[in-house]
Amino acid sequence: MKDRVIGELNRVFYPGKTHSIVKEGVLEDVEVEGSKVIVKLKLKHEENDSVIELLKKSIPMAVKKIDGVEDVELVIEKVVDESKKLSKIKHVIATTSGKGGVGKSTVSVNTALALAKFGYKVGLLDADIYGPNIPTMMGIEGVPVTIDPKYKDKILPIEKYGIKILSIGNLVPKDAAVIWRGALIHQAIKQFLDDVVWGDLDFLVVDLPPGTGDAQLSLAQLTKVSGGIIVITPQNVAMSDAMRAHDFFKRLNIPTIGVIENMSYFICPHCGARTDIFDHGGAKKFANETGLDFLGEIPIDVEVREGGDKGKPIVVSNPTSPVAQAFEDVARSIIEKLKS
């Protein structure tokens, strides 16, 4: 039976090609289970949907011509041609929050820089399409991206402070409103991943928009995400926002690396007294209740704000400060978590 099925499939032309699906080499296997035939194909990752729809019609039609075949199941796997990939990224880390205003981009920037301090090759992708802050925080505002001289259709990321960076903020005019629907956001994320020469990276930190929207969904569909980081502030009211982010990661089958409490407390630079401005311990409580890892707490410090405004993140401007050390502790926790 299997040979007869392959014989029929040898008459099914691959859409847009001059050979059959067998001669084109996309037929992976044929399995026969009684009156049911399972046809397995391996297609290029970039193959368009119209080709797949035509195959879904032509293959069952051909196989059902065989006596005894009542049901045909088509299993299609999309594969990436590793020889054509210009970038090899070991770990993609997605940073998100249930809502805005919690310092998510600050955490993404300084965590990426802290990972680089440990000798890792790091990239930082600003996927916050509607509110890109990374160019300002990294001091690359107004710096245009360049085309790779070798691969004319590929973009070179901007390099600063030892990491590679790309943001929509470097591709559109400053202060221009980006009014994109889901399909355009999906295409933008795809280009950020496929059309940028990231090179070999140990970590690509992706700063996602707040909430649970198109950018998060597109990232999960387009690449394997090693894990997500949830950034929240200490107060109890922030826990419901964090829960939504955690639930979204679970629905997308993205493991949550852990939780970071930002703006955790304030140390007075004059008297040294500690003040829990936004309460304290909410993130640790959330981590305990959900079984997630607590990655660390980041204090409020005026240097963090000044560094972000001036394009000199605190991990670079004051690496021995308590805040910079806190980000290094977070980076260590991430490294250990992904090793396990």
Side-chain angles (χ1 to χ4, degrees):
M1 173 74 82
K2 183 174 180 178
D3 290 340
R4 292 176 63 191
V5 172
I6 293 174
E8 286 296 333
L9 294 176
N10 209 22
R11 297 186 180 93
V12 176
F13 281 87
Y14 192 91
K17 305 290 184 180
T18 57
H19 298 295
S20 70
I21 62 171
V22 177
K23 289 185 179 179
E24 285 292 334
V26 300
L27 179 63
E28 178 70 11
D29 195 14
V30 171
E31 296 178 3
V32 179
E33 298 176 355
S35 62
K36 179 180 180 180
V37 173
I38 302 171
V39 179
K40 297 182 178 181
L41 304 181
K42 274 194 175 182
L43 307 184
K44 292 180 180 179
H45 186 270
E46 62 271 20
E47 191 59 90
N48 64 56
D49 293 339
S50 61
V51 168
I52 295 173
E53 289 304 315
L54 287 170
L55 290 172
K56 285 181 178 179
K57 293 177 182 178
S58 60
I59 290 175
M61 188 181 299
V63 176
K64 284 182 178 179
K65 293 178 180 178
I66 301 171
D67 291 338
V69 176
E70 297 180 3
D71 186 25
V72 178
E73 179 183 349
L74 192 58
V75 179
I76 297 176
E77 179 186 358
K78 286 190 173 185
V79 295
V80 177
D81 186 350
E82 294 293 333
S83 66
K84 293 183 179 179
K85 288 186 71 176
L86 302 177
S87 305
K88 292 183 180 178
I89 302 168
K90 291 181 182 177
H91 295 292
V92 175
I93 301 173
T95 306
T96 194
S97 60
K99 64 174 183 178
V102 301
K104 170 186 55 60
S105 295
T106 298
V107 170
S108 295
V109 164
N110 285 284
T111 299
L113 291 167
L115 288 167
K117 284 186 69 176
F118 291 122
Y120 292 100
K121 296 176 182 177
V122 181
L124 176 61
L125 171 57
D126 185 359
D128 193 343
I129 303 296
Y130 297 124
N133 293 316
I134 300 299
T136 299
M137 292 181 174
M138 291 295 290
I140 57 171
E141 195 170 65
V143 178
V145 297
T146 56
I147 302 299
D148 189 302
K150 184 176 180 181
Y151 305 98
K152 302 296 184 181
D153 58 340
K154 305 297 180 183
I155 296 172
L156 289 174
I158 299 165
E159 296 193 35
K160 191 163 185 182
Y161 301 134
I163 67 174
K164 296 179 178 180
I165 314 152
L166 187 71
S167 170
I168 190 68
N170 297 104
L171 297 170
V172 299
K174 182 183 176 182
D175 300 328
V178 179
I179 307 172
W180 287 357
R181 293 185 182 274
L184 287 175
I185 292 175
H186 181 88
Q187 186 60 32
I189 299 294
K190 185 176 188 303
Q191 287 186 298
F192 287 161
L193 294 170
D194 295 342
D195 295 338
V196 178
V197 186
W198 291 105
D200 293 345
L201 295 179
D202 297 300
F203 299 100
L204 177 64
V205 178
V206 183
D207 184 47
L208 289 166
T212 53
D214 293 315
Q216 286 87 340
L217 184 60
S218 294
L219 184 70
Q221 291 172 337
L222 293 168
T223 190
K224 178 177 173 56
V225 181
S226 299
I229 295 172
I230 300 172
V231 182
I232 66 174
T233 45
Q235 63 268 44
N236 286 333
V237 72
M239 292 178 62
S240 60
D241 300 310
M243 187 60 76
R244 282 193 292 271
H246 177 45
D247 182 62
F248 198 67
F249 276 148
K250 287 198 298 184
R251 290 172 182 268
L252 297 178
N253 294 316
I254 296 175
T256 302
I257 296 173
V259 185
I260 297 173
E261 182 172 280
N262 196 31
M263 308 181 196
S264 184
Y265 55 88
F266 173 72
I267 300 294
C268 177
H270 305 294
C271 67
R274 170 172 168 158
T275 304
D276 296 334
I277 298 175
F278 300 111
D279 203 349
H280 184 257
K284 187 173 287 187
K285 180 182 177 183
F286 172 75
N288 290 335
E289 290 181 357
T290 54
L292 298 175
D293 286 346
F294 179 64
L295 300 178
E297 51 189 32
I298 311 298
I300 297 175
D301 194 306
V302 69
E303 279 193 86
V304 175
R305 193 270 304 162
E306 290 176 344
D309 289 345
K310 294 176 181 177
K312 278 195 171 185
I314 195 164
V315 168
V316 173
S317 64
N318 192 355
T320 61
S321 66
V323 181
Q325 295 300 307
F327 279 117
E328 288 190 18
D329 290 341
V330 166
R332 287 190 190 94
S333 298
I334 293 170
I335 293 165
E336 289 303 315
K337 177 76 174 179
L338 292 179
K339 279 183 178 178
S340 61

